Amino acid sequence: MIQWKTWQRFFAGFILSAVLFSAGSSTVDAYNLILSESFELTDTRNVYEPYGEIQGSDYIEMSRFYALRVAGFSDINRYLEIPDTAKRSEPDKKRGSVPVLAPKDDQVLHTVKVTATGYTAGYESTGKKPGHPQYGITYSGVKVKRDRNTLSTIAADPDVFPIGSILYVPGYGYGIVADIGSAIKGQKIDLYFSTTKQVFKEWGKKDVEVQVIKTGSGKCTEEMLKTLDNAIETYHFLPSSVLEEAI
């Protein structure tokens, strides 16, 4: 019998899976094939080391993700079987990035129905103009940021969502409460966008059910943002261990 080397089995599996896809084979069969051939080349333990102990469910999720990425598929959405409760947000087509994953059920502390509006760092929202020493600086002290592929800063009532709280907002992505506003009281949040054009084009005003995955401690720092950004860029979701360490 021919002794197959690891790379030969992986390559053969890749070619066979491509044939199966083109022939209309089911997503599940092809997914299982790719995973079985590429899993041993995908050691996610090294990826997780910077963030310490990882829970089993997080490890499994990332093993599935990296197995497909190692196989060379760019449209990972098509091949991963994601439960209805963990649908991905729309990809950023301009940047060609992999969209973030919504939090898993066991990560959601509770959901809150809120009215969400959009704001900018400009005069129309904050009364400050470029050149002002506090232009673009939130109540917590960090700079405003908007990145649909990682984390954005948002404003909320700290009596409802303490500073540092992390929310998943459908259609917007992950947001961390870093700011407050005189008109943002009760069940309201303000989502940061870079320009007023983006506010009107991408959001406007919506009633949405946000998922709270971490209650803030009353602070938000640039170091926290960097840690969370790196985690989402790597995993495309926020592992529970990262939340415990960062907040």
Side-chain angles (χ1 to χ4, degrees):
M1 179 180 292
I2 298 177
Q3 296 296 318
W4 290 83
K5 295 182 178 179
T6 298
W7 71 268
Q8 291 175 321
R9 290 191 295 107
F10 172 75
F11 183 73
F14 178 82
I15 296 300
L16 181 57
S17 64
V19 173
L20 290 174
F21 279 128
S22 62
S25 180
S26 71
T27 298
V28 174
D29 290 341
Y31 164 77
N32 288 336
L33 175 64
I34 297 168
L35 185 59
S36 64
E37 295 297 336
S38 61
F39 180 81
E40 64 183 278
L41 300 181
T42 311
D43 188 355
T44 57
R45 287 173 296 178
N46 292 332
V47 177
Y48 280 118
E49 282 177 0
Y51 300 101
E53 188 69 21
I54 294 296
Q55 297 183 9
S57 59
D58 292 337
Y59 185 89
I60 292 171
E61 182 67 28
M62 290 313 301
S63 295
R64 296 166 68 227
F65 175 83
Y66 273 91
L68 286 170
R69 196 172 79 168
V70 167
F73 291 103
S74 58
D75 187 11
I76 296 176
N77 266 8
R78 178 180 171 188
Y79 308 107
L80 281 177
E81 294 293 326
I82 304 299
D84 290 339
T85 55
K87 294 293 185 181
R88 290 171 168 76
S89 60
E90 288 299 316
D92 186 340
K93 296 180 180 179
K94 292 183 179 179
R95 295 176 59 178
S97 59
V98 177
V100 297
L101 291 166
K104 293 171 288 184
D105 285 346
D106 60 1
Q107 286 186 301
V108 179
L109 302 179
H110 57 276
T111 60
V112 182
K113 186 173 183 179
V114 301
T115 297
T117 50
Y119 80 108
T120 71
Y123 185 81
E124 66 282 346
S125 295
T126 66
K128 301 170 186 175
K129 297 181 179 180
H132 189 287
Q134 291 299 308
Y135 183 82
I137 304 300
T138 64
Y139 176 80
S140 64
V142 303
K143 294 181 179 179
V144 291
K145 67 185 296 288
R146 167 63 176 145
D147 190 335
R148 70 182 65 196
N149 300 299
T150 56
L151 187 75
S152 303
T153 54
I154 64 178
D157 184 342
D159 289 333
V160 180
F161 303 112
I163 296 293
S165 295
I166 299 180
L167 317 178
Y168 180 79
V169 184
Y172 183 78
Y174 287 99
I176 185 168
V177 178
D179 215 347
I180 61 175
S182 58
I184 306 302
K185 301 297 182 183
Q187 311 296 95
K188 296 180 180 180
I189 60 175
D190 224 356
L191 310 178
Y192 175 72
F193 289 89
S194 300
T195 66
T196 54
K197 182 178 180 180
Q198 290 177 335
V199 171
F200 293 119
K201 182 179 180 180
E202 299 180 25
W203 195 262
K205 180 179 180 180
K206 299 179 183 179
D207 289 332
V208 294
E209 288 193 358
V210 300
Q211 298 173 314
V212 181
I213 61 174
K214 185 67 178 180
T215 300
S217 61
K219 68 176 182 178
C220 178
T221 66
E222 294 290 351
E223 183 179 356
M224 289 165 57
L225 295 183
K226 184 177 180 180
T227 298
L228 296 169
D229 279 349
N230 288 341
I232 300 176
E233 283 182 344
T234 301
Y235 312 133
H236 301 284
F237 75 109
L238 277 171
S240 299
S241 56
V242 176
L243 290 173
E244 293 300 324
E245 178 182 329
I247 305 300

